[in-house]
Amino acid sequence: AQESQNILPKNHPLSKKISDIGVRIAKVSGLTDTKWEFTVIDSPMLNAFVLPGGKVCVYTGLFKAMPDDDSIATVLAHEVGHVVARHAGERVSISGLGTILLLLVRMFIDIPINLDFLYQAAFELPKSRKMELEADYIGLKLMTRACFRPTEAPKVFARLAELNKGSNMVPFLSTHPSDSTRIRNFGKFMDKATADYETRCQRQVNQFFSAIHRAPEPVVEMDWGLETQDPWAVPSDDKLWK
């Protein structure tokens, strides 16, 4: 309830910026039936999240790590990536399976330990961290295809690491991978991302100037879709996300 009172109006400069960048990323997501909404919450928290149905929220505190459009695109593309990967439904399935499993264990085995904690540490949290890395990868792809510089992505998490200095969170008890892990993971795909960026976005610039200098000639529109045969599809090897 408190957060709803702190939502910035749609005509606020930050709201307009977030919405403009978010819509640009959403257009390349391939989710044409999703009703995207991008909202800014006035709070010092370093956080952003997405709700089922495409409602993305960003806290103003996060702008400390997002000084330009490309860094904002990094965060928004990550949240859109969660929707593309259908992580909300996956989390519900995992939680439901865990509830049933724990119920069965308690019915037949008397174990003097906290089973809920054990299940979270062994299954839910590792899966959550894997989904975050997957959203990072999809987000990198989306921001690149929306012509935002992919090289900004690891810089955002370097800034967050600096802002989060002093955190005592134990890695295996965290829902998110460490910032250093995410930065290293971006490095695995950066060559492909930058090559894709240069090819796609330079073509867009060329088409623009072609339209100006040769007005009668129709301009071939850039394909903003996600190809079936992805030239830098994520490998199926699960070791990638560890």
Side-chain angles (χ1 to χ4, degrees):
Q2 181 64 36
E3 288 188 347
S4 64
Q5 297 175 5
N6 294 335
I7 292 177
L8 296 183
K10 293 185 181 297
N11 61 355
H12 190 282
L14 289 181
S15 298
K16 289 182 177 180
K17 180 175 284 292
I18 288 291
S19 181
D20 290 345
I21 295 174
V23 168
R24 185 168 152 188
I25 292 169
K27 285 182 178 178
V28 303
S29 69
L31 302 178
T32 56
D33 295 333
T34 302
K35 294 182 179 179
W36 296 99
E37 185 178 339
F38 299 89
T39 301
V40 180
I41 299 173
D42 188 12
S43 166
M45 290 182 64
L46 298 171
N47 197 20
F49 62 90
V50 62
L51 298 173
K55 299 186 184 301
V56 179
C57 297
V58 179
Y59 292 95
T60 53
L62 200 55
F63 281 90
K64 296 177 183 177
M66 304 187 306
D68 53 38
D69 288 2
D70 296 305
S71 56
I72 293 173
T74 298
V75 173
L76 296 182
H78 171 88
E79 300 303 336
V80 172
H82 278 304
V83 181
V84 171
R86 303 182 185 279
H87 284 160
E90 196 171 348
R91 286 191 178 97
V92 171
S93 298
I94 293 172
S95 178
L97 178 62
T99 300
I100 295 172
L101 180 61
L102 291 174
L103 180 61
L104 291 174
V105 171
R106 289 191 176 100
M107 286 175 63
F108 298 103
I109 305 175
D110 184 16
I111 304 178
I113 59 175
N114 189 328
L115 291 177
D116 294 281
F117 173 80
L118 185 63
Y119 179 81
Q120 284 189 345
F123 297 101
E124 284 190 355
L125 293 176
K127 184 62 175 178
S128 176
R129 292 191 291 270
K130 180 178 176 180
M131 285 191 285
E132 291 300 324
L133 288 174
E134 187 178 4
D136 282 349
Y137 169 78
I138 295 172
L140 183 67
K141 182 186 297 186
L142 293 175
M143 69 181 292
T144 298
R145 296 182 177 188
C147 285
F148 291 101
R149 290 177 300 164
T151 51
E152 184 60 30
K155 296 177 185 178
V156 171
F157 288 94
R159 296 187 198 103
L160 285 172
E162 188 66 26
L163 292 168
N164 285 321
K165 268 187 176 181
S167 173
N168 296 320
M169 175 60 70
V170 180
F172 78 91
L173 294 179
S174 175
T175 57
H176 288 60
S178 67
D179 293 319
S180 59
T181 296
R182 300 173 86 164
I183 291 170
R184 287 196 304 271
N185 208 59
F186 280 126
K188 298 176 183 179
F189 305 106
M190 197 53 64
D191 287 345
K192 295 178 181 179
T194 52
D196 195 15
Y197 172 82
E198 291 170 1
T199 299
R200 290 171 176 272
C201 302
Q202 185 58 48
R203 182 173 64 179
Q204 186 184 35
V205 171
N206 291 342
Q207 288 174 357
F208 174 76
F209 284 107
S210 176
I212 294 176
H213 296 297
R214 293 181 293 168
E217 183 176 331
V219 179
V220 179
E221 291 187 0
M222 179 176 178
D223 178 13
W224 291 105
L226 297 176
E227 295 89 348
T228 302
Q229 298 299 324
D230 193 332
W232 48 297
V234 60
S236 58
D237 186 0
D238 276 349
K239 292 180 181 179
L240 172 70
W241 306 115
K242 292 183 179 178

